Every structure is written in C-alpha cells, then in structure tokens.
Amino acid sequence: MKLIIQIPCYNEAETLEIALNDLPRTLPGVDTIEYLIIDDGSRDETVEVAKNWGVHHIVRFKQNKGLAKGFMAGLDGCLRNGADIIVNTDADNQYCAEDIEALIQPILAGKADMVIGARPIDETEHFSFLKKKLQHFGSWVVRKASNTDIPDAPSGFRALSREAAMRINVVNDYTYTLETIVQAGREKIAITSVPVHTNAELRPSRLFNSIFGYVKKSMLTILRAYMMYKPLKSFGFLAVFPILTGLCIGFRFLLYMAAGQNGGHVQSLILACTLIIIGFLTFMIGLVADVIAANRKILQDTQYHARRAEYDALYMQQKTERQASRIYRVLETEESEKAAVSG
C-alpha cells in the first residue's frame, strides 16, 4: 500500500519546510510514504526548499494556474507514481499532520473512497465570527447540493483512494474543495469525514482577498457544479416562477373577460403570454442541458477507463521494477554471503 502526500504550493518557501517536517514517515497499514509538491508558478525558493528537504516528486507550472488546476495536476502526478492513497494538505501547515493516520483509516477499511478532514471551525481562534458563520452556511449549501453530510466542505485536508482520484474532475478555475464534494455526492462516490485538528496560523489565506469575494466565487462554484449534475431540476425550478406568474395573470384576464371587463387589459394578456413562453423556453433549455449531461457522463466514463488503462500500466510497470529490484538485492546478498564463506 503506497501513500503519496501532495502539497499545492505558491511562494511557500517560508512555511513549506515546517509543513514537510511534520509529515509522517510511517503509518499503520501503509508500506511506502512519498511526498509530492505542486509548484504553481512560484517566484521564490519553494522548489529548492522541496528538493533540499528530499521531496520525491515535483510537478511544476511555469505560471500560476490556480488551486483547482494544481490539485488536478497533483492527482495526475500521484497516480502516475503508483499511489494507492492520496492525501492533500496545505503548505502553510494549517492542518495537523498527525491526523493523516485517522484521515486514511476509512479508505484502508474499505468504507470510503474520499475522506474530508472536518476542522473545529468554532474553536479556531484565527477565524473571525463572520468567517465561522459563512463556513457553516457554505457547508450547509454544499450538503444540500451534494446530498452528503460533510460538515466542513471548504477543508482542503482530504484523502482519496486510487479509484476516486481517477474519477474526479474539476472544471472551475477557483478551487477544488466544493466541486469535488458535489461530484462525489452526485456520482455516488463513497465519501465521509473525520474530525481533525488545526495548527496556529503562519500566514493569511491567499485563496481570497475579501469575505465578499470568497462568498461570491464559492456560491457560483456550487451553483455551477449542481447545475452540471442536475440540469433538468435546476432549469425546471427556474421555469416554475415565470410559468406560474403568467398563468395567474392569464387567469385574471379570463376573469375580467368573463365579467365583460376585458377591455383595457390586453397588456396583462401580452405579459402572461410572454412569461409563459419564457418559462417554457427555460424548461426546454433544461431538457437540452439534461441530454448534454447524459453525454458528459458517457465522456466521464470513457475518460475514467482511459485513465485506468494508462495509470494501471504504469502501476504494473513500477511494481515489476520494484520486485525485480528486490530479487536482485536478495541474489546480490546471497552471492556476497557465498563469497564470504568461500573466502
């Protein structure tokens, strides 16, 4: 069982070594632990710090592409290097590395394919009162959109099995945290959460410049993800209001007409027809989007099998090389022992 811990980095030279030093070297149920960083176009000494520390794998971008693309590039790098379990954590040492053992237990036990670390938000001192409330509200919205019970959706401290990592897709450019939970919930990927601890803040968050900006981008991300997986329900909901309003206005016009007072109310009839047409067109867009979503599922399944064929071939090649290396070392040891006895 091979675990790779990945860390997205953007100008993290000052904090990266602190985070790396806290990472576990051995864990129960894990044979090999390796480390991978995603250098998202850093302009400082992040890569040099990682190399000097002894990080096994480095994925590099020439320019900053954002957290979402960095996360996906990290998953690709981990899968190519034979990871059975992937843990994602932050370079600012926000999450307590001792909790990685608890984080991967549901995967080792075969109970889940994705595990989210739930932070003690109300007890985190460097979170403002407003941020705490927004975190709770955002997680509630994600739970409703994803049909899951994850208490801390924005948490980046998470573990994925090899199977889940091959199925995950992130299409937004902002963050992977929310969209992956919505996808897991709607695609029936087994997902759960475990309580984790956090360390003292080493630097302010770089994900957003203001609370308002964070809320706006997060809500748009959740809405877009939900509409991708439930387009007919989303557009059907939007179509209800203009159709019902148009029907009410039209019924009012019919009442006036029955009473012989329809003169002067033609504008109401025009408005009713316009609203009903808008609602109907909105529903038709939902039907088209639903057909597109069905095609997207087929493409995702095709992508999954393509990924599996590619990554499994690399996995078997690496496994064969490791076995051959062990056999060679055993034979070399036996030859040395024979030579010593003969001497």
Side-chain angles (χ1 to χ4, degrees):
M1 184 65 67
K2 185 176 184 178
L3 166 67
I4 297 184
I5 303 173
Q6 70 170 37
I7 307 177
C9 298
Y10 178 59
N11 295 333
E12 303 287 2
E14 295 183 2
T15 60
L16 179 58
E17 188 172 0
I18 298 173
L20 289 170
N21 287 336
D22 283 352
L23 295 179
R25 307 300 187 268
T26 60
L27 286 171
V30 176
D31 302 313
T32 305
I33 300 178
E34 295 181 358
Y35 313 97
L36 177 147
I37 71 159
I38 306 102
D39 172 36
D40 194 10
S42 297
R43 296 290 181 264
D44 63 0
E45 305 300 317
T46 296
V47 173
E48 285 70 20
V49 170
K51 288 180 178 178
N52 292 336
W53 189 87
V55 168
H56 301 83
H57 314 288
I58 298 176
V59 177
R60 300 193 68 175
F61 291 155
K62 293 181 180 179
Q63 65 179 20
N64 182 257
K65 294 188 177 183
L67 190 57
K69 291 188 181 299
F71 175 77
M72 289 303 298
L75 293 188
D76 178 70
C78 291
L79 290 169
R80 287 182 181 279
N81 287 285
D84 295 296
I85 302 175
I86 301 168
V87 167
N88 185 86
T89 188
D90 282 358
D92 62 356
N93 204 37
Q94 174 187 172
Y95 305 106
C96 184
E98 293 179 358
D99 290 323
I100 291 178
E101 181 178 351
L103 197 67
I104 65 174
Q105 281 306 311
I107 297 176
L108 291 174
K111 297 179 179 178
D113 285 310
M114 183 185 296
V115 186
I116 312 296
R119 298 165 293 180
I121 294 175
D122 291 327
E123 301 169 13
T124 305
E125 295 181 358
H126 60 270
F127 282 6
S128 66
F129 175 80
L130 178 60
K131 186 173 181 179
K132 291 176 182 179
K133 296 304 177 184
L134 289 174
Q135 292 274 20
H136 286 305
F137 175 71
S139 296
W140 176 80
V141 173
V142 172
R143 286 196 295 274
K144 296 300 180 183
S146 63
N147 196 29
T148 64
D149 59 354
I150 302 303
D152 185 12
S155 172
F157 194 36
R158 52 187 61 195
L160 296 92
S161 69
R162 183 177 181 83
E163 180 73 13
M166 286 192 288
R167 289 191 176 275
I168 286 296
N169 285 291
V170 179
V171 297
N172 80 89
D173 294 328
Y174 181 53
T175 179
Y176 61 89
T177 55
L178 308 177
E179 184 178 340
T180 51
I181 294 176
V182 175
Q183 182 182 356
R186 294 300 170 182
E187 294 293 331
K188 306 302 181 183
I189 296 174
I191 182 172
T192 188
S193 67
V194 297
V196 297
H197 304 87
T198 56
N199 298 315
E201 185 179 33
L202 296 180
R203 60 159 177 77
S205 174
R206 295 174 181 167
L207 187 59
F208 56 90
N209 297 321
S210 66
I211 293 293
F212 175 75
Y214 173 73
V215 171
K216 181 181 71 174
K217 290 184 177 181
S218 296
M219 290 299 104
L220 288 174
T221 299
I222 296 170
L223 179 62
R224 182 181 182 184
Y226 183 76
M227 292 181 73
M228 282 180 59
Y229 294 98
K230 291 291 181 179
L232 185 58
K233 187 175 181 179
S234 301
F235 283 98
F237 179 77
L238 293 175
V240 165
F241 294 101
I243 289 176
L244 288 180
T245 305
L247 289 174
C248 289
I249 295 173
F251 183 70
R252 173 178 172 271
F253 177 81
L254 292 176
L255 289 178
Y256 277 119
M257 188 175 68
Q261 303 176 12
N262 58 313
H265 296 286
V266 178
Q267 297 90 338
S268 298
L269 181 61
I270 295 172
L271 178 61
C273 292
T274 302
L275 289 172
I276 291 172
I277 290 171
I278 290 173
F280 176 75
L281 291 175
T282 303
F283 182 73
M284 292 304 296
I285 292 172
L287 288 176
V288 174
D290 192 57
V291 173
I292 294 173
N295 288 328
R296 177 188 52 76
K297 289 180 180 179
I298 296 172
L299 290 173
Q300 278 189 340
D301 192 54
T302 302
Q303 182 190 53
Y304 164 74
H305 287 290
R307 282 177 172 175
R308 186 167 186 172
E310 179 183 4
Y311 294 138
D312 284 358
L314 290 170
Y315 183 82
M316 293 305 298
Q317 180 183 348
Q318 293 168 7
K319 185 177 180 180
T320 302
E321 290 175 353
R322 287 195 297 269
Q323 290 175 342
S325 178
R326 283 197 293 268
I327 293 171
Y328 176 78
R329 286 197 298 270
V330 169
L331 292 174
E332 192 177 50
T333 302
E334 290 177 352
E335 290 295 331
S336 299
E337 290 176 350
K338 289 179 181 178
V341 171
S342 300

